[in-house]
Amino acid sequence: DTGDTTFDVGFANTAACRSAITYIDGDEGILRYRGYPIEQLAEKSTFLEVAYLVLYGELPTRDQADEFEDRIKRSSLLDERMRDLFRCFPRRSHPMPVLSAGIMALSTFNSDSTSVSDPDQIETATINLLGKAPTFAAYGYKNSMGQPMLYPKNDLSYIENFMRLSFGLPTEMYEPDPKVTRALDTLFILHADHEQNCSTSTVRLVGSSQADIYTSVASGVNALSGPRHGGANQQVLEMLQRIQADGGDADKFVERIKNREEGARLMGFGHRVYKNYDPRAAIVKQHADQILSESEHHDALLDIALRLEEIALSDDFFKERRLYPNVDFYTGLLYQAIGFPTNMFTVLFALGRLPGWIAHWREQNADPASKIGRPRQIYIGETERDFVDIDKR
Ligand code: SDX
């Protein structure tokens, strides 16, 4: 009998594992990948360099970086029959289940790299995921528009390739804007890993059963799709669009949140760990200012977002609950300015988070002491009672 005592149980607030990949101090707003501060990586590194760091523990030398990128590029092409897979989905399909299905399908099309013990197969699967996931994401987007799916071009960078696969057409040249490419590369860096968030914990729990890397990562994609997690970036933009459609009064909207009228959540605010400003949000905001200053979206939605942040940072309701902008608050504005529709925002989050998911699966799989995850619970159901025949119920 637990009386009226409440407990934080299961994954909610317990140490799920030991890891050397990412360090977060939620009170100080600190985030480091393998010891390097996120602010330095966002300013000085590239997404593929950070993926190498997250996966292998050290920043690559130039030769290591070039070889890593070359292997990934050569893996971006899909089996021709996989292209048909993307044509089977209805155009109205949300691209997150399409991405998840594509990654799951890799365990069938690439069944020669599903070992959980062979280091060469694990490395092959790692490169397959990094190389093919952007192609899957772009194909899901193209399919939703009824447009032809291009082939990757190995003379482009990782992000340029993804941009061309997403926005290019076979009928015309596609020249990605370097400022946009840099902004997207930085956004992917900011999402590369984040300790034991819901989706990464899911990858580790599924992987702890010795499910292969493709299956485990596909589970992470599914966990990320929820609006409380990665789906929040899409919800933020839809929230800003609702405020704009209702006259653009951010103050009125905040009052509704405080009165619990709008589903009781200011999307893009709050965090399970950061009880201070999410360091990633500050960096996204800088890029949003740069890119949006040249975009027609700047005047309306960014101003509403800035006003929401200004109110929330000074309002006791948010301060008492230690609610600050998180990584999702400004990313949607940037993704939209780059040209992506709202239902692609969480897919972009997934592409950024991919190195982290893979690194956690590899870290756990490499630990000889690792066991199958088996969270416990506090039972709050009926105490013992005897069976009653149906005619006596
Ligand atoms: C991500 O874990 C990670 O690292 C995730 C992530 C990553 O990189 O993987 O950082 C990515 O998922 C960021 C979070 C994206 N989600 C959102 O922006 C959705 C909106 N945020 C909330 O759903 C919420 O803030 C959470 C889920 C993110 C965190 O919630 P907590 O810390 O568990 O807080 P809680 O639910 O216990 O609420 C505490 C109080 C409550 O008020 P009271 O009932 O005590 O009066 O704060 C309130 C909540 O109602 N509250 C909010 C709020 N978030 C919490 N009120 C209004 N707006 C919000 N966003």
Side-chain angles (χ1 to χ4, degrees), residues 336-349:
Q336 183 185 60
I338 290 172
F340 289 105
T342 52
N343 69 0
M344 277 292 285
F345 293 1
T346 311
V347 170
L348 296 167
F349 188 143

Side-chain angles (χ1 to χ4, degrees), residues 24 190-191 193-194 196-200 224 227-230 232-233 236 257 260 264-275 278 280 317-318 321 323 326-328 349 353:
I24 297 175
L190 295 174
H191 287 83
D193 190 50
H194 211 241
Q196 295 310 310
N197 58 86
C198 177
S199 54
T200 302
L224 186 72
R228 276 186 177 176
H229 189 12
N233 54 21
V236 169
I257 292 280
R260 309 261 192 242
R265 296 277 156 159
L266 182 58
M267 299 313 282
F269 263 72
H271 199 276
R272 172 74 92 209
V273 176
Y274 290 124
K275 297 309 176 187
D278 181 335
R280 302 167 297 175
F317 175 90
F318 295 89
R321 292 166 177 78
L323 300 175
N326 59 49
V327 68
D328 293 308
F349 188 143
R353 185 54 50 90

Side-chain angles (χ1 to χ4, degrees), residues 248-314:
D249 187 337
D251 298 69
K252 186 171 76 175
F253 184 78
V254 167
E255 284 311 306
R256 288 186 192 156
I257 292 280
K258 290 161 66 175
N259 300 329
R260 309 261 192 242
E261 291 172 32
E262 285 286 331
R265 296 277 156 159
L266 182 58
M267 299 313 282
F269 263 72
H271 199 276
R272 172 74 92 209
V273 176
Y274 290 124
K275 297 309 176 187
N276 195 324
Y277 210 97
D278 181 335
R280 302 167 297 175
I283 299 167
V284 176
K285 188 176 169 184
Q286 287 166 14
H287 281 271
D289 281 336
Q290 284 168 11
I291 296 282
L292 288 167
S293 59
E294 299 154 19
S295 144
E296 74 278 3
H297 298 289
H298 168 77
D299 301 333
L301 298 181
L302 178 62
D303 289 347
I304 293 172
L306 291 169
R307 179 62 188 143
L308 282 173
E309 178 181 3
E310 183 186 358
I311 301 166
L313 294 186
S314 59

